[in-house]
Amino acid sequence: MSSTAVRFIEEPARSIPVSAEYDVLVVGGGPSGLTAALAAAEDGLRVGLIESRSFVGGNMTIGLPVLGFLGQKGNQIIDGLPQKFIERLRKERDGASEHRPCPLHMGITLVEPEAVKTVALEMLTEAGVDVLFYTFFSGALMDGDTIRGIVTESKSGRSAILAKLVIDCTGDADVAYRAGVPTEKGNAEGGMQPPTLMFCLAGVDTDKLRLSIANAPPQARTYLTDFIPAEYFGQNHQFIVVGMRELIAKAKAERGLNIPNERTIIITGLKKGEVWINMTRVKGTDGTDARSLTKGEIEGRTQIDDIVTYLIHYVPGFEQAYFTKTAPFIGIRETRRIVGQYVMTQEDVLACRHFDDAIAVASYPIDIHRPADDGCTLIWCGDCYDIPYRSLVPQKVANLLVAGRSISATHEAMGAIRVMATCMAMGEAAGRAAKISVRGNRPPADIDMEELRRQQLEHGVYLRNPDGTRAGSPSRVAAA
């Protein structure tokens, strides 16, 4: 039985073995960790990656599409390693769609979760990255403002891993927080975006669903979709539905269903008749607290039955649908964010701001599942915006970088940069910056930004000139 009273015991000092030593250690194998490790290993550095689960891929394995490859003007603004990963998924496993324009999300790229796990691991092992699964980060080994390595817990016991440079790709700023980096959580009131436990249904007539939307006359349509015109569904066999607010309200009134979401969110899978449902909503969950996460998983599962009942009885195409699986873990949208050398703001996003130290370009709108109610805030900037390198560089720790949703940004800006394609782009930049840092024997804050940007461009990363046009690789410019 748990107790709310905080008690302590004294843990005796002990020696723990050093299980590995690397030039660069990546903690977390999600979208940002995958690309960070691949980029850091490009020219022979010893690179390690630890992951608490038995697979890499993170949120790419829970049924979500990858958002963010396309910009608000329809152009592709995420390239480089993320694009190579999608191409390999498509070619070798038929595990990804093309980047499809979407009026609401700018672009969607559907991925097959099991293919993600396989291809991501293949790419890491081929690159020479030493991957260690079933291993939890539990502490930072500090020497003044330098992180010498980390402490891990696993079936093998407690051990230390040393590294010249560490990249925190945990999504929760776990390493940064334990190392003493200042962090923030949530909005001005501390409220964080609620997580979702994704689940999958099969036997769905997706053509009936999309045509019911496409062909409904405006005056008869009872489930208008948010920001997505009906014509879109007549042209696309794989799609996202966001809306049907009236149908949910009707189901709640008629059947007393507990659906803590005002919108229906349906994502078609790559397999015929398969859809993923993004509708559970567990307010008040703190993704950095094990007890809260456990409560969130339990609550998320209790919501699924009523959502399935609603879909089968009210949404066209779901009449013969049946439940198949839940995601392997609850999808967290927001936890800690570091306070870095620069804090990205909502104004940076909405002004489509250009930075001299830009290492990636993003275009996804500010998308905040509001912490205090069942709604969502969406704000578009009309084009794209830069992500500055300084937002990946934390305060107070010299040889640490952070990539993914926990970079230095406000609650509102994080709502825009948190999607997977953008996180992959940040990871690629962090990995390359780590490589330059180690090779040059200088802290990440002091590396040559022109060298980092040059390497980014040479590897196909999309960056912008001050006038907004795509910056070209120096070698390509010379060849022209």
Side-chain angles (χ1 to χ4, degrees):
M1 184 167 63
S2 64
S3 171
T4 56
V6 178
R7 297 187 299 164
F8 297 91
I9 62 170
E10 293 297 323
E11 185 177 17
R14 55 178 167 159
S15 297
I16 60 174
V18 175
S19 60
E21 190 167 354
Y22 304 106
D23 293 311
V24 177
L25 173 63
V26 179
V27 182
S32 64
L34 163 66
T35 49
L38 290 173
E42 282 168 347
D43 65 353
L45 289 180
R46 294 169 297 159
V47 178
L49 183 151
I50 71 161
E51 167 58 50
S52 61
R53 302 182 176 97
S54 63
F55 54 86
V56 287
N59 280 347
M60 282 191 284
T61 70
I62 68 174
L64 288 167
V66 180
L67 306 178
F69 274 95
L70 300 183
Q72 293 178 34
K73 292 187 174 181
N75 57 321
Q76 183 172 339
I77 48 88
I78 302 291
D79 207 336
L81 282 174
Q83 177 62 27
K84 289 181 173 62
F85 177 67
I86 294 298
E87 289 171 356
R88 182 154 171 175
L89 273 176
R90 292 185 67 190
K91 180 180 179 181
E92 297 187 2
R93 301 279 172 172
D94 196 23
S97 71
E98 68 274 15
H99 308 310
R100 294 182 174 153
C102 175
L104 179 61
H105 301 98
M106 308 307 104
I108 60 173
T109 308
L110 304 175
V111 294
E112 168 55 43
E114 296 305 318
V116 165
K117 296 175 186 178
T118 300
V119 171
L121 185 56
E122 287 175 349
M123 292 179 70
L124 288 167
T125 54
E126 289 168 9
V129 176
D130 186 21
V131 178
L132 187 61
F133 290 136
Y134 303 107
T135 302
F136 289 84
F137 163 81
S138 65
L141 296 170
M142 301 300 297
D143 181 5
D145 66 352
T146 299
I147 180 168
R148 296 182 55 219
I150 66 170
V151 178
T152 66
E153 293 280 0
S154 71
K155 290 287 188 180
S156 305
R158 190 172 177 89
S159 67
I161 298 177
L162 305 183
K164 296 175 182 176
L165 189 146
V166 178
I167 307 177
D168 184 343
C169 294
T170 61
D172 304 313
D174 287 336
V175 181
Y177 176 74
R178 296 289 184 90
V181 174
T183 60
E184 297 177 341
K185 273 186 184 180
N187 58 18
E189 292 73 41
M192 291 178 281
Q193 296 192 53
T196 291
L197 180 61
M198 299 284 293
F199 65 93
C200 184
L201 300 179
V204 179
D205 186 342
T206 55
D207 281 336
K208 181 176 181 180
L209 170 63
R210 70 183 182 86
L211 292 175
S212 72
I213 300 171
N215 297 332
Q219 66 272 21
R221 196 179 306 149
T222 60
Y223 40 90
L224 285 168
T225 55
D226 291 7
F227 307 103
I228 305 178
E231 296 76 18
Y232 172 82
F233 296 96
Q235 302 163 0
N236 292 277
H237 291 270
Q238 293 174 321
F239 49 85
I240 298 180
V241 174
V242 180
M244 301 187 177
R245 298 168 186 260
E246 293 85 353
L247 287 186
I248 288 184
K250 183 179 180 183
K252 290 178 180 179
E254 293 180 352
R255 292 177 176 262
L257 300 177
N258 174 31
I259 303 175
N261 202 322
E262 63 184 24
R263 304 179 304 165
T264 307
I265 306 178
I266 301 165
I267 304 160
T268 57
L270 288 173
K271 298 176 182 176
K272 183 176 176 58
E274 180 182 270
V275 299
W276 287 88
I277 307 300
N278 181 1
M279 291 179 63
T280 67
R281 187 183 183 100
V282 190
K283 293 192 287 290
T285 301
D286 184 345
T288 67
D289 180 272
R291 181 68 64 182
S292 183
L293 274 171
T294 302
K295 184 179 178 182
E297 288 274 359
I298 294 169
E299 171 61 23
R301 289 181 185 276
T302 66
Q303 295 174 12
I304 290 175
D305 285 348
D306 277 10
I307 295 171
V308 172
T309 298
Y310 154 66
L311 293 168
I312 290 174
H313 289 92
Y314 290 85
V315 179
F318 280 81
E319 294 82 0
Q320 304 302 316
Y322 56 93
F323 177 87
T324 59
K325 56 193 170 187
T326 57
F329 55 88
I330 196 167
I332 302 297
R333 293 185 172 90
E334 178 179 13
T335 55
R336 301 187 194 98
R337 308 180 306 275
I338 66 164
V339 179
Q341 296 198 346
Y342 182 83
V343 180
M344 274 193 75
T345 66
Q346 173 172 288
E347 291 71 29
D348 292 333
V349 173
L350 297 183
C352 300
R353 190 148 294 155
H354 174 77
F355 292 95
D356 290 340
D357 64 337
I359 43 76
V361 176
S363 187
Y364 193 72
I366 293 173
D367 178 356
I368 300 174
H369 294 243
R370 294 194 293 269
D373 59 44
D374 294 342
C376 186
T377 297
L378 282 161
I379 313 174
W380 292 265
C381 69
D383 196 356
C384 53
Y385 47 90
D386 290 350
I387 296 179
Y389 174 67
R390 287 167 293 160
S391 290
L392 279 63
V393 182
Q395 296 180 9
K396 293 193 175 183
V397 180
N399 57 330
L400 177 67
L401 285 166
V402 178
R405 69 169 181 254
S406 55
I407 69 165
S408 182
T410 63
H411 168 75
E412 294 77 16
M414 195 282 304
I417 59 89
R418 65 185 175 85
V419 293
M420 287 185 278
T422 307
C423 288
M424 294 178 81
M426 288 188 273
E428 179 174 7
R432 218 156 270 140
K435 180 180 64 175
I436 295 170
S437 173
V438 171
R439 291 291 189 205
N441 193 29
R442 60 178 59 188
D446 296 335
I447 66 170
D448 184 345
M449 272 309 305
E450 289 305 313
E451 173 64 14
L452 175 56
R453 284 173 55 85
R454 183 187 66 78
Q455 289 196 25
Q456 289 283 87
L457 291 170
E458 286 185 343
H459 286 86
V461 171
Y462 185 103
L463 296 175
R464 298 189 300 167
N465 295 312
D467 64 0
T469 59
R470 180 170 186 171
S473 148
S475 59
R476 291 176 185 168
V477 172

